[in-house]
Each structure stands twice: as C-alpha cells, then as structure tokens.
C-alpha cells in the first residue's frame, strides 16, 4: 500500500463498489453527486502575460465562467502556495516566514512548511472522508522530501517538487516524483505530462485535485510547435530557425509557453466539465520578464492575478470583487459542505461562494507580503527585511521595511499605474487620510497576529459563551501575567499560538514602556511609581547589588503597593511565581506587600542546584524544595487555582523564559519531524542559549493556553506583558539591559469584558497598571501615595487609539556608595520616551542621546551630534530635558 492510509484504502474500496452500482462515491443512490473541485495554478501568469499571449481557452472562460480580475496573491511563488494551502497569510507563525517562503536560508530544513496548528486544505478534505491528489510543482518543501505533500494531506503526489533550476533539467528532461519515488523523465514535455496526470486524477473521481503547472516559469524556451497555433508557428518561422529562437528574451518566450499551456488546458477543461467538477484557474503572482512591475513587485501587475471559476451553479460574468488567494480555502470547504474551525482551518479565509452565484463578496482588504532574510531566524521580524501590502478596492498601502519604515499610499482609481505615492508627495486629502489611518491599523494588526478585520472588515460577533460585556452585574476581576525577559523580537521569533490568538481576539498594545531589567519593572508595577522615587529605594534594591541585608526589600510604606491598596478595599489578592523584590531569604515579603496568598520562588534560579525542575518554592512564608515538577507548569497550576477560587486580583510572574536555559518537556512543545516524517527529539546539544530561550517561551505559551481558558471563562480582565526586552548575547542588537526600544518597549495584550479587539499604539508605562486596575475596581486613590506616577489607560479599551500619556520614564542604577538614598553616590542611566522622540542620559559616561523614532527606528543617529536641531526636534529636546530634570 505504500504510504496510503486506511482512509485511502476505504476510499478506493467505496469508489469501486459505487462504480459497480452506478453511484458516485460519497453519495447514496438517488442523491445528488457531491461537489468535486479542481484547482489549477498557472505559474507566473499575471495580467501582463495574459495580454501578450494567444489563449483561446482561457479567453472563453471569461465568457462561460466567472472571471475575477482582482485576485490578490503574493508577489512570488511559494508564499502564494502557502496562502492557498493554509487559508492564512504568510505572516501567520505556522508559515515560518521568509526562510520557508523565499528559500534563502542555508539551513535546508528551514524550507519545509510544517504547520504546528493549522490544518491544510487537503488535510481538511481528507479528514472529511474525501480523496485528494496533488500534481505538478510543489515548491513548499525540499526536493529530497518527496513525502512532504503526503504529510500535508494529499493522498497521491505526482510531479516535480521544485523549479527546474538544476543543470541538465528542462521542460523536456525533469526529475518526477511518483508515489514517493523519483524517476528521470526524458523526451516528454512537462506541461503535457502534468495535464495527463491531472486528467487521470479527474477520471478516478478524486474529490480534490490540485494541479500546479510549472509553466510559465523559467527556464524559458520555445514549446513543441504542435501546441502552438498556425499563426504563432508562422511568426516563429519568420524569425528564423531554432538557433534564432534561443536568442529570444523571456518576455517573448513566456507568451509562447502560455499559449502551449492554454492548448493543454483545453483538454483538461473538457474532462473536468464532463465529470461535473467545479474548477478554479488562477495565476500565483505577476508575470516575469516584463518592464514596469510584474513578479516580485507590489504593483498590481505583481500581486493581482486573474482568476476564472466554472462549474455547476457558477454564474457566468466578470466580477470586480476583491478576492484573496487565501479565500479559496473557505470557498472549497463551503462548496464541499465541510464545516471548519476558523481558528485553525483557514483562519484568514473568506468564502466567495456568494460571488459565484452572482451575489456580492464582502472582503474589504487583501494582504500580500514578501520576506528577505537578514538574520539567522525567520521568526525575528526585527532582523528581517520585509514588505507588506494591504489592497482595498480603491487604495493600496505598502509598508516597506527594507530601508527603515517607509509607507506608500496609492489611489488605484485616480492613478491606476501607481506613479504617485500620496504620502511621499504630501497629497493626502480627507478621504485618503481616512483610508491610510484605517489601513495602517489593519496592517499592524496583521503583524501582531490578528487577521479577523483583514478577513471580513467586520469584527467577529460574540458567542453565547463569551465573557460578560461591560455593564453586566458580574464584579470585575483582574489577572496580571508577567513574562520574564519577553520583548517584541522574541514574540516574533518563537512559536506562540496562544499569544497570537490573544492578539486576534483581544487588544494588542505595541508600546508599553518599562525598565531595561527585571526588578525595576516589577517595582514600577507594584507601586505605580518611577524607580527614582525615594520610597522605591533606588538601585540597590532594584539591581540587588548592595551588600546590606535590608536594602534589597521593596518598602511597604509610605507608598501603598497595588496589592495592599486592593486588599484594603475588601477584595482578595494572590501572587504566584517569581517575586524578585527582596532577598531570597525574605520569604514573607510578598505577604507584607499586600498579597494575601503567595506561592512561588522568591528570586531567580541562580543557585547551582536550582533548575526548572528543582527549586525552593515558598507558600505563604514557608519554603520547601520541589522536585520533578516543571516550574512553568507549577506556576500555571497555582494561577488556575487562584482563578478558580475567584480571587479578585491575581498576579502571576513566570520565571520563563529567564535562564537557566534548557529544553522544556516535550509535551509542552509542538512536534518536530525529520525528512521522512518521523518525530524528532529535541536535544539541548548544539542549541544556543537563544534557541533554548525560544523553546522555553513556546512551552510557556502552551501553559498560558490553559490559564487563559480558565480566566476568560470566568470573566476576568486579563493583561499579559513582558517585563523588559529579551535576553540577547549579541549586544549590538539591544534587548535586555539597554535603553533601545528592544530593551524598554514590550508587548502587552488585554482581553476581557468591554475590551475592544484591535491594535493600539498608545504610549503606556508599566506604572499605569496601578491606576487602570483602580478604575476597573471602582476605587478612588490618593495620588500622593497610591500610584503617584500612574495614569489609567482604561479609556482605550473601547477603541480610543490615543491613551492619556505623552511620555514615559525608564531607568536603571548601579550602586557606588553606601546609602541608596543619596543620588550623589549613584551612577545611573535613564530615558524619557515621548511619542516620537526619546532622550537618553548616561550619568556615568556623562552624555545625552536624542533620537527620532519615526525617522530612525533603529536609533542609529544621535541628533545632538549635529547642532543646531530642527524646530520640532529642538522643541522636543527642551521638553524632554525639562521632564528628565523634574523627576
């Protein structure tokens, strides 16, 4: 049986019996035949090539079928194929970003599309009892992985895995995979061979046939003359013989190859019509070899391809609807009557079945993107070059991060050739400005992992089991979740389906300013005060460098901690996990700071005997050593217990993914497979600290899923955030311990009753949780002792995009003297971060740095090195300097 599954065997047997009875497979006698689907992918066939070639069969489809001229794909092959197969954009974590999609990595295993959470379209159909077949070009895995299409749900595969790039390989000599074995085919034209295989699959009655032609991709050459029209043959003869044909440019050869392909499509279409198939025919991106856009460009000639659909019930005509290649997934599922789970089965796909019947299609925007690798990791977007596009019916927004942060906006109605960038030319009228604001918010939501607004342009409606909305009678309860050393770069790089899902259904805040290291951030959270407040005991407490035994402890007065403030109102409080605001021996300190219950490890796991499975756990002041229980799971269990008890304020501070670095338990990680589809065991041997950190975060994300499920079911308002930037051994790249954005700006997610989903760029500070939680609980506070530097950002929950804060403060200390309260003996670094500018002061080295975060997002240029400053920068410098000296 080879690789065939039991399901495959049953399908074959059922098909044989039905054939004997004269009944279609999958249908009972007397029932209507089930829908069968043929997907036909034409490589590098965009509108420019269609205009240049003789294509009578495709031209006829525009009359006899439904023609969608605005079919948005990616500018290059592999990303489009991934979007088609997964019903998701290429920014989805499962699609492994640029190294998979552009195949630029030296790590060959990185080419494999191995989605840990998404279900491919072929697997969806197979799981519903249908039969599947893949033919032609694959281009989503390495050529030496012939079983890869099978792993992704195709029962049979016949074709050439990649492009015809190797020496000695051509359209007449190619390495073909059949049932997992490779054979070299010579003397047969590849386009004809692929057509024959497609027809054979149709004759077998396969429910889902996906045929991806290599044509009209290179290598470009004149096809067999018998596949060309008499007119074209005559034109070639007029040019001379084969030697002259070799001199033709790709722009002249590609139309010939398309004409030959169109001839073979005629045979394929006739067979599909006779078998009652619904057929989708489309280009995967723009055409190669043409001047003025085309493949790999974000002009419409690069990302907008033709789509034709014909079959039973399809209304003929031309439809101007905006359709994404992602939408094929949901459309096929609906046609086949297969129910899907939109979170994992085509999460960014919108069915256009209504459009096939002549009704409107409701997509407002379509996304396309392309990646180019700079760093070693395809998931760390901060070190990736990428360009993304959001296309609406009239406007197109392009975000080009190859050279900083460049945004371009085009009016496709007034400027169909896209010659005028409205942003660069400063010509944003009211309508264009509104379009820009909305489209930028939608695009940034995609980067954060949210695709719902891009899918439909409408917010998902609440389910019957959704948490209560604002205004119900349930009392507010709050859960704070602190992830240790987790910044934006780490989130972009790790596998975090739980956090990605949270970004989709909750509110994602991009700009939460904190301190560059752990303890100062925790002090800001607990007190709602800057670390320089005399009552926060300065650096010796926060950096744990003072030798005096009492200096480590966060004081409990005169400032009132958040927990004490909440507890004084008669509400319950519980703290779980890492404390890190006192010596390890001060086991009662969390309780003294207002936490009625404390279960966790007081400090980092820094003693030689401490590991993630052996650690000194404190339960309300009493310490015991816990062995054999993974600390991330233990902290999750304790947090869930507090939530199930209905504690009003629960704060859980995970140790993960702080060192000691290690490989977590396998059951907390997504499975990995080798080239033969066999499970891989992940070992620490050969892994860097950074790689193990990502695995630790992946395991923490797994456990977060359990905790969020418990909290959201009970109506908690949940905040999840990093305490500072990620750990990074590459010092020049920033991260933890630095005042670069990667060190002090962290992600934050919020979900709960009354919180509007979306991406929010409001400037927030770690101190702002104090006032926000007070407002959620309906508590009045004394701003002198209860969160003196805190602003509530609760007003942003309803969708207001600008919070109350114009600047945020960050600092870290090194102790030089004996008294932590005398600044003269303290060497410190600090920064004031505004909405556009940031002023940094290094007191130890005696210099200031001013950066423009809009013009210089990588913070390479100190504006103070070249005086005088421009008007806006000068005003910002004066204001930030005044703020700095007032603190």
């Amino acid at each position: 049986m080879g690789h065939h599954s039991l399901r495959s065997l049953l399908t074959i047997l059922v098909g044989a019996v039905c054939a004997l009875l004269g009944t279609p497979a999958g249908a009972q006698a007397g029932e209507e035949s089930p829908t069968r689907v043929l997907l036909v992918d034409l490589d590098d066939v965009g509108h420019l090539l269609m205009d240049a070639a003789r294509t009578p069969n495709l031209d006829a489809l525009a009359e006899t079928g439904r023609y969608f001229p605005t079919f948005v794909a990616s500018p290059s092959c592999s990303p489009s194929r991934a979007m088609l197969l997964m019903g998701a954009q290429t920014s989805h974590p499962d699609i492994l970003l640029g190294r998979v999609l552009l195949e630029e990595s030296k790590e060959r295993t990185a080419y494999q599309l191995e989605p840990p959470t998404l279900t491919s379209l072929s697997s969806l159909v197979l799981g519903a009892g249908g039969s599947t077949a893949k033919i032609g070009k694959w281009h989503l895995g390495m050529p030496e992985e012939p079983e890869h299409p099978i792993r992704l749900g195709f029962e049979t595969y016949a074709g050439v895995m990649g492009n015809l790039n190797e020496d000695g390989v051509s359209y007449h000599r190619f390495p073909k995979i059949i049932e997992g074995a490779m054979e070299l085919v010579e003397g047969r034209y590849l386009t004809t061979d692929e057509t024959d295989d497609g027809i054979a699959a149709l004759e077998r009655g396969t429910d889902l046939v996906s045929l991806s032609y290599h044509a009209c991709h290179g290598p470009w050459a004149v096809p067999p003359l018998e596949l060309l029209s008499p007119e074209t043959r005559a034109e070639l003869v007029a040019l001379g013989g084969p030697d002259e044909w070799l001199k033709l440019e790709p722009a002249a050869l590609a139309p010939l190859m398309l004409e030959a392909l169109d001839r073979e499509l005629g045979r394929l279409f006739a067979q599909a019509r006779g078998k009652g198939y619904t057929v989708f025919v489309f280009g995967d991106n723009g055409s190669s070899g043409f001047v003025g856009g085309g493949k790999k460009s974000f002009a419409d000639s690069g990302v907008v391809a033709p789509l034709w659909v014909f079959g039973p019930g399809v209304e003929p005509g031309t439809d101007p609807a905006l359709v994404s290649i992602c939408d094929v997934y949901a459309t096929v599922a609906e046609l086949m009557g297969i129910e899907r789970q939109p979170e994992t089965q085509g999460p960014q796909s919108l069915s256009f079945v209504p459009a096939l019947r002549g009704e409107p299609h409701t997509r407002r925007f379509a996304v396309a993107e392309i990646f180019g690798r700079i760093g070693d990791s395809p998931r760390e977007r901060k070190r990736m070059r990428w360009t993304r596009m959001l296309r609406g019916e009239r406007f197109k927004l392009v975000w080009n991060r190859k050279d900083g942060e460049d945004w371009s906006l085009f009016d496709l109605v007034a400027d169909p050739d896209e010659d005028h960038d409205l942003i660069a030319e400063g010509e944003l009228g009211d309508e264009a400005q509104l379009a820009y604001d909305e489209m930028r918010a939608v695009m940034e939501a995609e980067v954060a992992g949210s695709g719902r607004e891009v899918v439909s342009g409408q917010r998902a409606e609440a389910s019957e089991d959704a948490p209560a909305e604002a205004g119900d009678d349930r009392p507010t309860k709050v859960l704070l979740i602190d992830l240790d050393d987790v910044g934006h770069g780490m989130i972009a790089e790790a596998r975090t389906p739980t956090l990605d899902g949270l970004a989709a259904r909750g509110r994602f805040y991009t700009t939460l300013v904190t301190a560059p290291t752990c303890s100062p951030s925790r002090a800001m959270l607990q007190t709602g005060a800057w670390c320089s407040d005399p009552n926060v005991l300065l650096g010796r407490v926060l950096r744990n460098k003072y030798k005096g035994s009492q200096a480590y402890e966060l004081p409990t007065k005169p400032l009132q901690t958040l927990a004490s403030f909440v507890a004084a109102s008669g509400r319950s409080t519980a703290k779980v996990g890492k404390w890190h605001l006192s010596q390890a021996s001060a086991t009662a300190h969390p309780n003294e700071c207002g936490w009625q219950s404390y279960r966790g490890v007081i400090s980092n796991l820094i003693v030689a005997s401490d590991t993630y499975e052996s650690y000194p756990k404190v339960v309300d002041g009493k310490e015991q050593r816990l062995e054999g229980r993974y600390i991330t799971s233990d902290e999750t269990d304790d947090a869930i217990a507090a939530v199930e008890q209905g504690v009003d304020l629960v704060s859980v501070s995970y140790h993960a993914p702080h060192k000691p670095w290690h490989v977590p338990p396998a059951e907390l990680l997504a499975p990995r497979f080798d080239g033969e589809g066999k499970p891989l065991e992940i070992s620490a041997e050969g892994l860097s600290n950074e790689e193990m950190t990502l695995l630790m975060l992946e395991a923490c994300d797994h456990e977060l899923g359990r905790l969020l499920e418990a909290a959201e079911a009970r109506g908690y308002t949940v905040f999840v955030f990093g305490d500072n930037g990620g750990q990074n051994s590459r010092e020049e790249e920033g991260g933890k311990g630095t005042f670069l954005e990667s060190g002090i700006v962290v992600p934050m997610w919020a979900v709960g009753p009354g919180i509007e989903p979306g991406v929010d760029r409001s400037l927030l500070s770690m101190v702002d949780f104090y006032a926000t939680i007070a407002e959620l609980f309906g508590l009045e506070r004394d701003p002198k002792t209860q969160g003196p530097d805190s602003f509530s950002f609760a007003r942003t929950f309803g969708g207001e995009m600008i919070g109350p804060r114009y600047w945020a403060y960050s600092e870290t200390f090194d102790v030089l003297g004996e008294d932590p309260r005398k600044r003269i003996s303290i060497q410190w670094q600090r920064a004031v971060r505004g909405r556009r500018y940031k002023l940094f002061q290094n007191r130890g080295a005696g210099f200031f740095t001013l950066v423009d975060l809009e013009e210089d997002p990588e913070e390479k240029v100190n504006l103070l090195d070249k005086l005088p400053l421009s008007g806006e920068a000068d005003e910002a410098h004066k204001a930030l300097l005044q703020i700095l000296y007032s603190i």
Side-chain angles (χ1 to χ4, degrees):
M1 293 302 297
H3 64 263
H4 281 294
S5 63
L6 178 60
R7 184 187 305 276
S8 306
L9 176 60
L10 291 174
T11 301
I12 294 169
L13 292 175
V14 169
V17 172
C18 289
L20 290 173
L21 297 176
T23 307
Q28 301 298 319
E31 287 185 353
E32 185 178 343
S33 298
T35 298
R36 293 191 174 96
V37 173
L38 168 64
L39 305 177
V40 183
D41 178 359
L42 313 180
D43 203 343
D44 291 354
V45 173
H47 288 285
L48 291 176
L49 182 53
M50 283 296 302
D51 291 342
R54 291 185 170 102
T55 55
N57 288 304
L58 289 173
D59 294 343
L61 288 190
E63 301 296 329
T64 61
R66 196 156 192 85
Y67 174 53
F68 296 88
T70 316
F71 180 65
V72 179
S74 170
S76 62
C77 307
S78 292
S80 293
R81 295 164 199 271
M83 295 164 72
L84 173 72
L85 192 59
M86 295 299 168
Q89 274 117 39
T90 49
S91 57
H92 192 287
D94 274 24
I95 304 183
L96 290 186
L97 303 181
R99 287 199 297 183
V100 177
L101 306 176
L102 287 185
E103 301 186 357
E104 292 185 356
S105 173
K106 296 178 181 179
E107 300 177 27
R108 296 171 71 80
T109 56
Y111 291 8
Q112 298 291 118
L113 177 64
E114 300 286 1
T117 62
L118 295 184
T119 301
S120 66
L121 174 59
S122 44
S123 294
L124 178 74
V125 173
L126 192 64
S131 51
T132 59
K134 180 68 187 179
I135 294 145
K137 179 175 172 180
W138 178 240
H139 214 218
L140 286 170
M142 293 299 294
E144 57 265 32
E145 296 287 345
E147 294 289 326
H148 192 222
I150 310 302
R151 289 206 303 273
L152 289 182
F154 288 105
E155 292 178 291
T156 64
Y157 172 65
V160 180
M161 292 284 289
N163 289 321
L164 304 174
N165 292 332
E166 303 295 329
D167 291 340
V169 174
S170 70
Y171 272 76
H172 294 275
R173 189 175 189 272
F174 45 89
K176 182 178 179 181
I177 304 296
I178 302 176
E179 303 298 332
M182 193 273 283
E183 63 178 68
L184 185 65
V185 178
E186 298 188 77
R188 180 155 179 77
Y189 191 57
L190 179 56
T191 301
T192 300
D193 189 73
E194 290 168 337
T195 304
D196 289 345
D197 286 339
I199 290 173
L202 299 178
E203 290 176 341
R204 294 193 300 268
T206 307
D207 294 301
L208 175 64
V209 180
S210 175
L211 168 53
S212 296
Y213 282 101
H214 277 73
C216 297
H217 195 285
W220 296 282
V222 174
L225 295 182
E226 63 268 20
L227 298 181
L228 301 177
S229 66
E231 295 85 354
T232 301
R233 290 200 296 267
E235 291 169 358
L236 283 172
V237 170
L239 291 174
D243 290 341
E244 294 300 319
W245 301 344
L246 292 175
K247 301 176 184 178
L248 293 176
E249 295 293 329
L253 291 169
L256 302 178
M257 296 170 68
L258 178 56
E259 181 177 338
L261 171 58
D262 183 82
R263 175 74 172 267
E264 294 296 69
L265 284 174
R267 295 197 294 128
L268 181 71
F269 294 165
Q271 185 69 29
R273 286 191 178 95
K275 296 289 185 180
Y277 275 77
T278 298
V279 182
F280 298 75
V281 187
F282 48 90
D284 64 345
N285 47 250
S287 309
S288 293
F290 288 84
V291 177
K295 182 175 181 178
K296 294 190 177 179
S297 81
F298 281 85
D300 267 10
S301 59
V303 296
V304 175
L307 164 68
W308 302 265
V309 186
F310 68 89
V314 176
E315 184 75 16
T318 296
D319 195 323
L322 183 66
V323 178
S324 167
I325 196 169
C326 292
D327 296 339
V328 174
Y329 191 117
T331 305
V332 171
E334 183 174 346
L335 287 173
M336 296 183 123
I338 301 173
E339 292 187 5
R340 62 189 180 93
Q341 299 296 322
E343 291 293 331
T344 58
Q345 296 169 339
Q348 290 155 328
S349 183
L350 181 64
S351 172
F352 56 95
V353 166
L356 300 181
R357 312 290 186 242
E359 301 170 11
H361 183 46
T362 55
R363 176 175 285 283
R364 296 182 61 221
F365 304 117
V367 172
E369 61 192 333
I370 194 168
F371 296 85
R373 188 176 63 84
I374 294 177
D376 291 329
S377 171
R379 292 179 174 268
E380 190 173 343
R381 289 198 181 102
K382 195 160 185 76
R383 295 164 57 229
M384 293 290 298
R385 291 173 176 262
W386 90 87
T387 304
R388 318 184 83 247
M389 178 214 73
L390 191 68
R391 192 196 191 280
E393 292 183 355
R394 175 176 176 180
F395 291 98
K396 176 195 291 185
L397 182 65
V398 179
W399 184 7
N400 187 339
R401 291 202 60 179
K402 291 182 178 179
D403 301 303
E405 294 268 358
D406 294 337
W407 295 85
S408 299
L409 184 70
F410 300 95
D411 184 339
L412 300 171
V413 174
D415 176 29
D417 293 330
E418 302 172 65
D419 292 327
H420 302 285
D421 178 357
L422 300 181
I423 294 175
E425 297 178 4
E427 296 181 0
L428 286 180
D430 291 343
E431 189 173 0
Q433 183 68 55
L434 288 172
Y436 169 70
D437 291 341
E438 181 185 14
M439 295 174 79
R440 178 164 178 167
V442 169
M443 191 179 290
E444 290 178 339
E446 278 291 285
V447 173
S450 169
R452 294 187 177 182
E453 289 196 58
V454 176
V455 169
S456 65
Q458 299 174 352
R459 304 202 180 277
E461 296 184 6
S463 67
E464 294 179 0
D465 298 326
E469 295 298 323
D472 73 2
D473 295 329
R474 274 194 275 181
T476 298
K477 297 181 186 297
V478 174
L479 170 61
L480 300 173
I481 302 176
D482 177 2
L483 308 178
D484 204 343
D485 293 350
V486 172
H488 281 284
M490 189 177 295
I491 290 296
E493 190 171 356
R495 297 186 182 189
T496 55
T498 299
L499 289 174
D500 295 338
L502 188 58
R505 68 181 183 276
R507 196 163 190 82
F508 178 68
Y509 293 86
T510 63
T511 319
L512 175 63
V513 179
T514 181
T517 55
C518 307
S519 292
S521 298
R522 296 164 199 271
M524 293 163 69
L525 176 67
Q526 294 279 336
T527 63
W530 307 129
C531 301
S532 59
D533 189 295
N535 295 289
V536 186
L537 285 187
L538 302 181
R540 286 196 291 188
V541 175
L542 306 176
R543 293 290 304 272
N544 290 358
K545 289 189 175 182
Y546 182 57
K547 296 179 181 179
S549 61
Q550 299 302 312
Y552 286 7
E553 296 196 359
L554 180 72
T556 58
K557 58 183 181 181
L559 291 184
Q560 190 174 27
T561 65
L562 173 62
S564 295
F565 173 62
V566 171
S569 71
R571 290 170 171 80
S572 51
T573 61
K575 178 70 184 177
V576 174
K578 178 176 171 179
W579 180 240
H580 212 217
L581 286 169
S582 68
Q583 290 190 25
S585 58
T587 57
H589 192 238
N591 302 104
E592 294 168 0
C593 287
W595 298 104
Q596 296 163 341
S597 169
Y598 174 68
R599 304 174 69 88
V601 178
I602 293 290
S603 63
N604 287 323
L605 303 176
I606 55 177
V607 179
S609 60
D610 289 346
T611 69
Y612 267 61
E613 295 191 349
S614 177
Y615 42 89
K617 182 176 180 179
V618 173
V619 178
D620 293 330
K622 297 180 180 180
E623 182 178 296
Q624 59 180 351
R625 190 147 199 99
L626 205 59
E627 303 281 353
R629 178 67 176 155
Y630 192 60
I631 193 170
T632 304
S633 298
D634 188 68
E635 290 167 340
T636 303
D637 290 344
D638 286 339
I640 290 174
V643 166
E644 290 177 342
Q645 292 162 14
V647 176
D648 295 300
L649 176 62
V650 181
S651 173
V652 55
S653 296
Y654 282 101
H655 278 74
H658 194 285
K659 61 182 178 182
W661 297 292
H662 61 280
V663 174
E667 62 269 19
L668 303 184
L669 301 175
R672 272 75 166 172
F673 301 92
D674 65 12
E676 298 179 354
K678 298 177 181 178
L680 280 176
E681 181 177 346
I682 303 175
S683 169
E685 184 177 354
L687 293 181
S688 66
N689 291 340
E690 284 84 1
E691 289 170 324
M692 286 189 281
T693 302
L694 296 179
L695 295 175
M696 294 163 68
L697 178 56
E698 181 180 337
C700 186
D701 182 84
H702 180 281
E703 296 296 71
L704 272 177
R706 296 196 293 126
L707 177 54
L708 290 174
E709 182 180 8
E712 291 181 68
R714 289 162 176 80
Y716 273 77
T717 297
V718 183
F719 301 93
V720 186
F721 48 92
D723 65 343
N724 48 250
Q727 300 185 54
N728 195 335
S729 65
R730 300 173 292 274
E731 187 173 321
E732 70 278 5
E733 294 176 14
K736 181 176 180 177
T738 75
F739 283 83
L740 297 174
E741 294 289 276
S742 59
I744 64 171
V745 176
V746 295
M748 192 264 280
W749 301 259
V751 66
I755 295 181
E756 186 78 7
V759 172
D760 196 317
R761 297 190 297 274
S762 297
L763 181 62
L764 308 179
S765 168
M766 188 69 77
V767 300
D768 294 336
F769 284 107
Y770 197 119
T772 305
I773 291 171
E775 183 174 344
L776 287 173
F777 282 143
L779 301 177
E780 293 186 5
R781 61 189 179 91
D782 180 354
K784 293 181 180 179
T785 59
Q786 296 164 339
D789 298 308
S790 184
F791 286 103
S792 172
F793 56 89
R795 79 186 197 190
T796 66
F797 295 165
E800 186 172 334
M801 294 296 291
I802 302 297
R805 183 173 288 284
Y806 288 90
W807 58 270
Y809 180 69
S810 180
E811 64 187 333
T812 189
F813 296 86
D814 286 314
V815 173
L816 300 180
E818 291 295 321
D819 185 351
R821 294 177 180 269
K822 293 182 180 178
R823 288 201 175 175
I824 195 169
S825 64
I826 299 294
Q827 174 176 305
W828 84 88
Q829 300 176 44
R830 55 190 189 150
V832 179
R833 204 266 195 202
R835 292 179 177 174
R836 175 172 178 177
Y837 293 91
K838 177 165 64 180
L839 181 64
F840 166 69
Q841 180 187 21
N842 187 325
R843 281 290 298 267
F847 66 81
F848 287 90
T849 300
L850 179 69
V851 294
D852 183 339
L853 297 171
E854 287 187 8
E855 296 295 328
D856 178 26
E858 295 183 359
E859 304 174 71
K860 301 287 189 183
V861 179
N862 181 4
L863 298 179
L864 299 177
D865 287 342
K866 189 175 182 179
L867 299 176
L869 297 172
S870 67
E872 185 178 358
D874 186 52
E875 291 299 319
H877 177 232
K878 292 175 182 177
L880 295 175
L881 193 62
Q882 184 177 2
I883 292 168
L884 196 65
Y885 282 128
S886 70
I887 297 175

